[in-house]
Amino acid sequence: KDKNLGDNSLKLERLKMSRNKKWPASVKFEIALLAAKGEVTLNEICKRYEVSPSQVSAWKKELLERGTQ
């Protein structure tokens, strides 16, 4: 377990989604938060959660602009 990925990383890894599936808001938030913290590289996040860099960037941007609304 990677200490930089937080306590929920194992749970989140089980929620990896295939292409064209909806991600739960809680998972998008956790991934965006990891990206915003900058403790883990974008490539590491993408590889671990099988999501594209552009998607992570979009979720991060949304988190920074809208917060937890």
Side-chain angles (χ1 to χ4, degrees), residues 19-36:
R19 191 175 269 211
N20 297 325
K21 295 234 179 172
K22 283 200 156 205
W23 288 82
S26 61
V27 176
K28 289 194 260 185
F29 175 77
E30 290 291 334
I31 293 171
L33 189 58
L34 284 173

Side-chain angles (χ1 to χ4, degrees), residues 8-66:
N8 292 325
S9 65
L10 292 176
K11 195 176 356 175
L12 290 174
E13 283 184 273
R14 291 185 204 126
L15 291 173
K16 288 179 184 175
M17 298 294 201
S18 64
R19 191 175 269 211
N20 297 325
K21 295 234 179 172
K22 283 200 156 205
W23 288 82
S26 61
V27 176
K28 289 194 260 185
F29 175 77
E30 290 291 334
I31 293 171
L33 189 58
L34 284 173
K37 285 181 177 180
E39 296 172 355
V40 182
T41 68
L42 180 60
N43 285 337
E44 290 171 318
I45 294 168
C46 294
K47 183 177 179 180
R48 180 169 293 261
Y49 297 102
E50 297 179 0
V51 63
S52 72
S54 61
Q55 185 63 73
V56 174
S57 296
W59 290 338
K60 176 183 170 184
K61 180 180 177 186
E62 182 178 354
L63 173 65
L64 296 176
E65 288 176 355
R66 295 178 47 193

